[in-house]
Amino acid sequence: MDETIFFNPGDAIATEYDFAAARRSAEIFKVAHASDKGLVVAKDDHGQFAVFYEGGTSTGDGAVPATKYTILAHL
């Protein structure tokens, strides 16, 4: 079962059109920036992959509408 969640695209740590590149960016970011939060690699309906902090979901109340993503990896 896919895990679908909403994020604000402006909150993305990195965006790529290649899953491997997005995951590599997430791993590099995680090493360079110590944080208690995990990271997720997610894909939107347009085929773009993005990296977000886990638990940083959007409620859709902001100026930028939340976008639906499917989570592919938890780091």
Side-chain angles (χ1 to χ4, degrees):
M1 181 173 148
D2 290 336
E3 185 177 357
T4 302
I5 199 148
F6 290 88
F7 288 105
N8 178 337
D11 292 338
I13 294 167
T15 57
E16 300 283 346
Y17 279 100
D18 178 46
F19 175 75
R23 186 177 176 106
R24 185 173 51 250
S25 294
E27 290 170 353
I28 291 168
F29 185 86
K30 192 171 184 176
V31 169
H33 300 87
S35 176
D36 294 338
K37 296 181 181 180
L39 298 175
V40 295
V41 180
K43 182 179 179 183
D44 68 7
D45 292 338
H46 303 290
Q48 187 170 17
F49 299 93
V51 178
F52 295 99
Y53 277 115
E54 194 165 30
T57 59
S58 177
T59 59
D61 296 340
V64 176
T67 301
K68 183 174 101 173
Y69 288 89
T70 302
I71 295 178
L72 303 175
H74 293 267
L75 304 172

